[in-house]
Amino acid sequence: MAFFTVIIPLYNKEKYIENAIKSVLNQTFTDFNLVIVNDCSTDKSVEIASKYISDTVEIIHHKKNAGLAAARNSGIKNTNSNYITYLDADDLWKPTFLESIFQLIQNFPEARIFGTNYEEIWGTVIKNPLNGSENLPIDFTGYINFFKINVKQGIYTHGSVCFHKEVFEKIGYYNEDIGFSEDLDFNIRANYNFKLAYDNSVQMSYFMQTENQLTQSSLLNKTIPDFDSYENWATNNSDLKKYLDFERYVLGKRLKKNNDLRWKKMIATIDSRNLNWKQNVLLKMPSFILNMLDKLKSFLLKLGIKTSTY
Protein backbone atom coordinates (compact mmCIF):
# COMPACT_ATOMS: atom_id res chain seq x y z
CA MET A 1 0.00 0.00 0.00
CA ALA A 2 1.45 3.34 -1.07
CA PHE A 3 1.61 6.17 1.47
CA PHE A 4 -0.23 8.55 -0.90
CA THR A 5 -2.71 8.04 -3.69
CA VAL A 6 -2.68 10.87 -6.22
CA ILE A 7 -5.84 11.33 -8.29
CA ILE A 8 -5.88 13.18 -11.62
CA PRO A 9 -9.39 13.66 -13.07
CA LEU A 10 -9.01 13.78 -16.84
CA TYR A 11 -11.34 15.24 -19.44
CA ASN A 12 -9.99 16.65 -22.73
CA LYS A 13 -6.66 18.03 -21.53
CA GLU A 14 -4.36 16.76 -24.28
CA LYS A 15 -2.21 19.92 -24.18
CA TYR A 16 -1.56 19.68 -20.46
CA ILE A 17 -1.86 16.12 -19.13
CA GLU A 18 1.70 15.03 -19.90
CA ASN A 19 3.25 17.87 -17.91
CA ALA A 20 0.83 17.23 -15.05
CA ILE A 21 1.82 13.55 -14.93
CA LYS A 22 5.51 14.41 -15.08
CA SER A 23 5.16 16.82 -12.18
CA VAL A 24 3.79 13.93 -10.10
CA LEU A 25 6.42 11.43 -11.22
CA ASN A 26 9.19 13.95 -10.46
CA GLN A 27 8.29 14.21 -6.77
CA THR A 28 11.12 13.96 -4.24
CA PHE A 29 8.81 11.81 -2.08
CA THR A 30 8.19 8.69 -4.14
CA ASP A 31 5.92 6.42 -2.08
CA PHE A 32 2.71 7.02 -4.04
CA ASN A 33 0.33 5.56 -6.58
CA LEU A 34 -1.11 7.70 -9.36
CA VAL A 35 -4.71 7.07 -10.43
CA ILE A 36 -5.87 8.89 -13.57
CA VAL A 37 -9.66 8.91 -13.96
CA ASN A 38 -10.67 9.29 -17.59
CA ASP A 39 -14.11 10.92 -17.65
CA CYS A 40 -14.77 9.96 -21.30
CA SER A 41 -12.22 12.24 -22.97
CA THR A 42 -12.72 12.66 -26.72
CA ASP A 43 -9.30 14.09 -27.59
CA LYS A 44 -5.83 12.50 -27.31
CA SER A 45 -5.61 12.86 -23.52
CA VAL A 46 -5.90 9.12 -22.80
CA GLU A 47 -3.46 8.20 -25.56
CA ILE A 48 -0.88 10.53 -24.03
CA ALA A 49 -1.54 9.42 -20.46
CA SER A 50 -1.38 5.73 -21.39
CA LYS A 51 2.34 6.05 -22.13
CA TYR A 52 2.90 6.35 -18.39
CA ILE A 53 0.98 3.27 -17.22
CA SER A 54 3.17 1.25 -14.84
CA ASP A 55 3.10 -0.54 -11.51
CA THR A 56 2.40 2.81 -9.84
CA VAL A 57 0.31 4.55 -12.56
CA GLU A 58 -3.12 3.33 -13.64
CA ILE A 59 -6.03 4.71 -15.63
CA ILE A 60 -9.66 4.19 -14.67
CA HIS A 61 -12.22 4.73 -17.43
CA HIS A 62 -15.74 6.03 -16.87
CA LYS A 63 -18.40 4.53 -19.14
CA LYS A 64 -20.09 7.92 -19.44
CA ASN A 65 -19.08 11.50 -18.70
CA ALA A 66 -20.01 12.07 -15.08
CA GLY A 67 -18.20 15.27 -14.05
CA LEU A 68 -15.39 16.29 -11.75
CA ALA A 69 -16.99 15.20 -8.47
CA ALA A 70 -17.66 11.70 -9.84
CA ALA A 71 -14.10 11.45 -11.19
CA ARG A 72 -12.65 12.31 -7.77
CA ASN A 73 -14.99 9.84 -6.10
CA SER A 74 -13.96 7.07 -8.48
CA GLY A 75 -10.33 7.67 -7.62
CA ILE A 76 -11.02 7.68 -3.88
CA LYS A 77 -12.97 4.42 -4.06
CA ASN A 78 -10.13 2.74 -5.96
CA THR A 79 -7.40 3.22 -3.38
CA ASN A 80 -6.24 1.68 -0.13
CA SER A 81 -3.91 4.54 0.81
CA ASN A 82 -4.48 6.45 4.02
CA TYR A 83 -3.69 9.79 2.37
CA ILE A 84 -5.40 10.99 -0.79
CA THR A 85 -4.51 14.05 -2.83
CA TYR A 86 -5.38 15.47 -6.24
CA LEU A 87 -3.97 17.33 -9.18
CA ASP A 88 -6.08 18.74 -11.99
CA ALA A 89 -4.85 17.70 -15.42
CA ASP A 90 -3.92 21.27 -16.40
CA ASP A 91 -1.98 22.17 -13.24
CA LEU A 92 1.49 21.34 -11.91
CA TRP A 93 3.10 20.38 -8.62
CA LYS A 94 6.45 21.63 -7.47
CA PRO A 95 8.84 18.66 -6.95
CA THR A 96 8.56 18.93 -3.15
CA PHE A 97 4.76 19.00 -2.82
CA LEU A 98 4.34 15.46 -1.46
CA GLU A 99 7.43 15.87 0.71
CA SER A 100 5.90 19.00 2.24
CA ILE A 101 2.60 17.23 2.89
CA PHE A 102 4.46 14.29 4.44
CA GLN A 103 6.23 16.65 6.85
CA LEU A 104 2.89 18.18 7.86
CA ILE A 105 1.54 14.71 8.56
CA GLN A 106 4.55 13.91 10.75
CA ASN A 107 4.57 17.22 12.61
CA PHE A 108 0.84 17.79 13.18
CA PRO A 109 -0.71 14.45 14.13
CA GLU A 110 -4.10 15.88 15.15
CA ALA A 111 -4.78 17.11 11.61
CA ARG A 112 -6.59 15.13 8.95
CA ILE A 113 -6.44 17.86 6.28
CA PHE A 114 -3.08 19.06 4.96
CA GLY A 115 -2.68 22.01 2.59
CA THR A 116 0.01 24.19 1.04
CA ASN A 117 0.11 27.54 -0.65
CA TYR A 118 0.18 27.89 -4.44
CA GLU A 119 0.88 30.35 -7.23
CA GLU A 120 -1.41 31.55 -10.02
CA ILE A 121 -0.32 31.41 -13.65
CA TRP A 122 -2.07 33.99 -15.84
CA GLY A 123 -0.50 33.36 -19.24
CA THR A 124 3.05 34.64 -18.80
CA VAL A 125 2.24 36.43 -15.54
CA ILE A 126 2.81 34.67 -12.18
CA LYS A 127 0.94 36.05 -9.18
CA ASN A 128 0.57 35.11 -5.54
CA PRO A 129 -3.05 34.57 -4.49
CA LEU A 130 -4.70 37.02 -2.14
CA ASN A 131 -5.83 34.26 0.19
CA GLY A 132 -4.81 35.23 3.70
CA SER A 133 -1.44 33.52 3.45
CA GLU A 134 0.14 36.97 3.14
CA ASN A 135 -0.73 37.48 6.82
CA LEU A 136 1.25 34.40 7.85
CA PRO A 137 5.05 34.18 8.22
CA ILE A 138 6.66 33.12 4.95
CA ASP A 139 7.98 29.92 6.55
CA PHE A 140 4.79 29.18 8.52
CA THR A 141 3.72 25.60 9.14
CA GLY A 142 1.00 24.79 11.65
CA TYR A 143 -2.70 24.48 12.40
CA ILE A 144 -4.99 27.18 10.98
CA ASN A 145 -8.69 27.99 11.29
CA PHE A 146 -9.96 27.38 7.74
CA PHE A 147 -13.17 29.37 8.11
CA LYS A 148 -11.49 32.36 9.75
CA ILE A 149 -8.64 32.80 7.26
CA ASN A 150 -10.40 31.57 4.11
CA VAL A 151 -12.49 34.67 3.30
CA LYS A 152 -10.44 35.72 0.29
CA GLN A 153 -9.22 33.36 -2.40
CA GLY A 154 -8.83 29.77 -1.30
CA ILE A 155 -6.13 29.22 1.31
CA TYR A 156 -5.48 26.03 -0.66
CA THR A 157 -6.82 24.66 -3.92
CA HIS A 158 -7.89 21.11 -4.60
CA GLY A 159 -4.49 20.69 -6.22
CA SER A 160 -2.64 21.65 -3.05
CA VAL A 161 -4.48 19.69 -0.38
CA CYS A 162 -4.42 16.16 1.01
CA PHE A 163 -7.10 14.34 3.03
CA HIS A 164 -6.76 11.39 5.37
CA LYS A 165 -9.19 8.59 4.52
CA GLU A 166 -10.96 9.22 7.85
CA VAL A 167 -12.38 12.40 6.29
CA PHE A 168 -14.26 10.44 3.63
CA GLU A 169 -15.32 7.77 6.13
CA LYS A 170 -16.95 10.42 8.35
CA ILE A 171 -18.40 12.99 5.93
CA GLY A 172 -18.81 10.98 2.73
CA TYR A 173 -17.65 11.82 -0.78
CA TYR A 174 -18.05 14.74 -3.18
CA ASN A 175 -21.67 15.58 -3.96
CA GLU A 176 -22.10 14.46 -7.56
CA ASP A 177 -25.36 16.38 -7.86
CA ILE A 178 -23.45 19.67 -7.60
CA GLY A 179 -22.23 20.77 -11.02
CA PHE A 180 -20.17 23.78 -9.90
CA SER A 181 -18.12 24.45 -6.75
CA GLU A 182 -18.54 20.94 -5.38
CA ASP A 183 -15.12 21.47 -3.79
CA LEU A 184 -16.54 24.31 -1.66
CA ASP A 185 -19.29 22.04 -0.37
CA PHE A 186 -16.73 19.36 0.47
CA ASN A 187 -14.39 21.85 2.14
CA ILE A 188 -17.16 23.02 4.48
CA ARG A 189 -17.95 19.49 5.61
CA ALA A 190 -14.30 18.49 5.93
CA ASN A 191 -13.05 21.55 7.80
CA TYR A 192 -16.05 21.61 10.15
CA ASN A 193 -15.15 18.12 11.33
CA PHE A 194 -11.35 17.98 11.11
CA LYS A 195 -8.25 20.07 11.80
CA LEU A 196 -6.21 21.62 8.97
CA ALA A 197 -2.40 21.75 9.01
CA TYR A 198 -0.90 24.24 6.57
CA ASP A 199 2.47 24.91 4.93
CA ASN A 200 2.77 28.46 3.58
CA SER A 201 5.39 27.54 0.99
CA VAL A 202 4.31 27.54 -2.67
CA GLN A 203 4.09 23.90 -3.76
CA MET A 204 1.66 24.03 -6.70
CA SER A 205 1.10 26.03 -9.90
CA TYR A 206 -2.54 26.82 -10.63
CA PHE A 207 -3.14 27.71 -14.28
CA MET A 208 -5.98 30.22 -14.43
CA GLN A 209 -6.76 30.37 -18.15
CA THR A 210 -6.70 26.91 -19.76
CA GLU A 211 -9.16 25.26 -22.11
CA ASN A 212 -12.24 23.38 -20.83
CA GLN A 213 -11.76 24.90 -17.38
CA LEU A 214 -14.79 24.47 -15.12
CA THR A 215 -14.07 27.65 -13.16
CA GLN A 216 -14.49 29.66 -16.38
CA SER A 217 -17.64 27.88 -17.59
CA SER A 218 -21.23 29.09 -17.49
CA LEU A 219 -23.42 28.23 -14.49
CA LEU A 220 -26.50 27.86 -16.69
CA ASN A 221 -28.43 24.70 -15.72
CA LYS A 222 -25.76 23.73 -13.19
CA THR A 223 -26.63 22.81 -9.62
CA ILE A 224 -24.73 24.97 -7.14
CA PRO A 225 -23.98 24.46 -3.43
CA ASP A 226 -26.75 25.09 -0.92
CA PHE A 227 -24.94 27.15 1.69
CA ASP A 228 -28.19 27.51 3.66
CA SER A 229 -27.94 23.82 4.60
CA TYR A 230 -24.97 24.68 6.83
CA GLU A 231 -26.59 27.57 8.69
CA ASN A 232 -27.30 25.38 11.72
CA TRP A 233 -23.58 24.68 12.03
CA ALA A 234 -22.93 28.43 11.92
CA THR A 235 -25.30 29.29 14.78
CA ASN A 236 -22.50 29.16 17.34
CA ASN A 237 -19.63 29.56 14.90
CA SER A 238 -19.18 33.17 13.73
CA ASP A 239 -16.17 32.25 11.58
CA LEU A 240 -18.24 29.74 9.63
CA LYS A 241 -21.10 32.25 9.24
CA LYS A 242 -18.70 34.84 7.82
CA TYR A 243 -17.22 32.24 5.48
CA LEU A 244 -20.67 31.19 4.22
CA ASP A 245 -21.61 34.83 3.59
CA PHE A 246 -18.37 35.40 1.72
CA GLU A 247 -19.00 32.41 -0.55
CA ARG A 248 -22.57 33.61 -1.08
CA TYR A 249 -21.12 36.94 -2.18
CA VAL A 250 -18.68 35.32 -4.63
CA LEU A 251 -21.22 32.97 -6.18
CA GLY A 252 -24.07 35.48 -6.06
CA LYS A 253 -22.01 38.06 -7.92
CA ARG A 254 -21.13 35.50 -10.57
CA LEU A 255 -24.77 34.50 -11.00
CA LYS A 256 -25.75 38.16 -11.31
CA LYS A 257 -23.13 38.73 -14.02
CA ASN A 258 -24.69 35.83 -15.94
CA ASN A 259 -28.20 37.31 -15.45
CA ASP A 260 -29.09 34.15 -13.55
CA LEU A 261 -31.99 35.00 -11.22
CA ARG A 262 -30.69 32.57 -8.60
CA TRP A 263 -28.40 35.39 -7.45
CA LYS A 264 -31.25 36.91 -5.46
CA LYS A 265 -31.74 33.80 -3.31
CA MET A 266 -28.00 33.32 -3.01
CA ILE A 267 -27.40 36.69 -1.35
CA ALA A 268 -30.69 36.95 0.56
CA THR A 269 -29.30 35.71 3.89
CA ILE A 270 -25.98 37.56 3.79
CA ASP A 271 -25.19 39.63 6.86
CA SER A 272 -23.66 42.73 5.26
CA ARG A 273 -21.38 43.13 8.29
CA ASN A 274 -19.54 40.02 7.12
CA LEU A 275 -18.50 41.74 3.86
CA ASN A 276 -16.24 44.74 3.33
CA TRP A 277 -17.52 47.96 1.80
CA LYS A 278 -16.29 47.12 -1.70
CA GLN A 279 -18.09 43.80 -1.68
CA ASN A 280 -21.33 45.37 -0.45
CA VAL A 281 -21.14 48.01 -3.19
CA LEU A 282 -20.50 45.45 -5.93
CA LEU A 283 -23.52 43.39 -4.93
CA LYS A 284 -25.71 46.43 -5.59
CA MET A 285 -24.30 47.11 -9.07
CA PRO A 286 -26.13 46.03 -12.26
CA SER A 287 -24.74 43.09 -14.19
CA PHE A 288 -23.44 45.14 -17.13
CA ILE A 289 -21.19 47.18 -14.83
CA LEU A 290 -19.90 44.02 -13.13
CA ASN A 291 -19.04 42.58 -16.53
CA MET A 292 -17.29 45.80 -17.55
CA LEU A 293 -15.23 45.67 -14.36
CA ASP A 294 -14.23 42.08 -15.21
CA LYS A 295 -12.94 43.21 -18.59
CA LEU A 296 -10.96 45.98 -16.92
CA LYS A 297 -9.57 43.48 -14.43
CA SER A 298 -8.44 41.18 -17.27
CA PHE A 299 -6.78 44.08 -19.05
CA LEU A 300 -4.87 45.08 -15.92
CA LEU A 301 -3.72 41.49 -15.42
CA LYS A 302 -2.06 41.57 -18.83
CA LEU A 303 -0.10 44.55 -17.53
CA GLY A 304 0.88 42.55 -14.45
CA ILE A 305 -1.55 44.39 -12.15
CA LYS A 306 -3.87 42.24 -10.04
CA THR A 307 -6.92 43.92 -8.50
CA SER A 308 -9.18 42.48 -5.84
CA THR A 309 -12.13 43.25 -3.55
CA TYR A 310 -10.40 41.44 -0.70
Side-chain angles (χ1 to χ4, degrees):
M1 183 175 68
F3 191 88
F4 291 105
T5 288
V6 182
I7 299 169
I8 297 183
L10 178 59
Y11 178 72
N12 289 356
K13 297 290 184 180
E14 63 181 11
K15 293 182 179 179
Y16 312 102
I17 182 61
E18 187 160 29
N19 285 334
I21 293 172
K22 287 180 178 179
S23 79
V24 175
L25 298 181
N26 288 337
Q27 291 295 296
T28 55
F29 186 95
T30 59
D31 188 6
F32 64 84
N33 288 328
L34 172 57
V35 178
I36 301 168
V37 183
N38 170 36
D39 195 27
C40 297
S41 295
T42 58
D43 63 2
K44 295 181 180 179
S45 296
V46 176
E47 178 183 337
I48 295 168
S50 295
K51 297 187 297 182
Y52 294 92
I53 293 176
S54 67
D55 291 340
T56 58
V57 180
E58 65 174 312
I59 302 179
I60 296 172
H61 299 277
H62 279 177
K63 293 183 179 180
K64 62 178 182 179
N65 180 263
L68 180 58
R72 286 179 178 149
N73 288 342
S74 292
I76 296 164
K77 294 172 184 177
N78 281 275
T79 179
N80 293 317
S81 297
N82 286 329
Y83 295 95
I84 297 167
T85 186
Y86 320 93
L87 181 66
D88 284 349
D90 51 4
D91 294 325
L92 299 174
W93 278 347
K94 304 293 186 181
T96 53
F97 172 73
L98 288 180
E99 182 180 338
S100 299
I101 296 293
F102 179 77
Q103 288 302 318
L104 287 175
I105 292 168
Q106 301 304 305
N107 295 336
F108 304 99
E110 294 183 6
R112 289 296 179 268
I113 308 169
F114 310 89
T116 78
N117 210 344
Y118 56 98
E119 63 187 6
E120 297 177 342
I121 311 297
W122 297 87
T124 59
V125 176
I126 300 176
K127 288 291 181 181
N128 294 325
L130 298 170
N131 63 355
S133 64
E134 64 274 13
N135 298 321
L136 299 172
I138 294 175
D139 58 352
F140 174 87
T141 60
Y143 297 109
I144 60 173
N145 181 333
F146 175 85
F147 297 120
K148 185 173 185 177
I149 198 171
N150 200 53
V151 286
K152 297 186 176 183
Q153 292 177 259
I155 192 67
Y156 60 71
T157 77
H158 254 59
S160 70
V161 67
C162 174
F163 298 101
H164 190 281
K165 68 177 183 179
E166 288 180 15
V167 176
F168 307 102
E169 291 169 352
K170 182 175 178 64
I171 72 168
Y173 298 97
Y174 292 86
N175 187 339
E176 296 181 18
D177 292 330
I178 298 177
F180 186 87
S181 292
E182 72 291 327
D183 54 337
L184 295 184
D185 173 78
F186 186 85
N187 278 336
I188 294 170
R189 291 183 279 130
N191 284 277
Y192 183 78
N193 286 281
F194 295 96
K195 287 187 176 182
L196 165 64
Y198 189 73
D199 182 337
N200 200 25
S201 65
V202 172
Q203 297 294 335
M204 178 258 188
S205 297
Y206 184 22
F207 287 78
M208 307 299 292
Q209 296 171 309
T210 59
E211 299 168 6
N212 303 316
Q213 195 171 43
L214 287 178
T215 54
Q216 305 298 325
S217 62
S218 170
L219 301 189
L220 185 65
N221 298 323
K222 289 184 179 177
T223 303
I224 55 180
D226 178 14
F227 297 124
D228 292 347
S229 64
Y230 299 110
E231 275 297 319
N232 287 338
W233 288 0
T235 302
N236 297 310
N237 188 330
S238 59
D239 292 328
L240 174 55
K241 170 58 177 172
K242 186 172 182 178
Y243 171 80
L244 292 174
D245 283 350
F246 171 75
E247 294 298 351
R248 289 182 176 111
Y249 153 74
V250 173
L251 198 48
K253 184 158 65 76
R254 179 162 183 161
L255 290 167
K256 191 173 187 179
K257 287 187 292 187
N258 292 340
N259 295 312
D260 188 322
L261 293 180
R262 289 179 294 174
W263 73 268
K264 295 181 180 180
K265 181 177 184 298
M266 179 60 63
I267 72 169
T269 56
I270 290 178
D271 183 339
S272 61
R273 294 171 296 181
N274 287 332
L275 303 181
N276 63 37
W277 70 269
K278 289 182 287 185
Q279 293 162 353
N280 280 304
V281 168
L282 285 171
L283 279 184
K284 294 178 173 62
M285 288 185 173
S287 59
F288 77 91
I289 292 182
L290 293 175
N291 285 311
M292 286 176 59
L293 290 173
D294 273 357
K295 291 179 180 179
L296 176 60
K297 186 176 179 179
S298 296
F299 173 75
L300 292 173
L301 266 173
K302 293 178 182 179
L303 301 178
I305 303 170
K306 183 177 179 180
T307 59
S308 169
T309 64
Y310 311 137

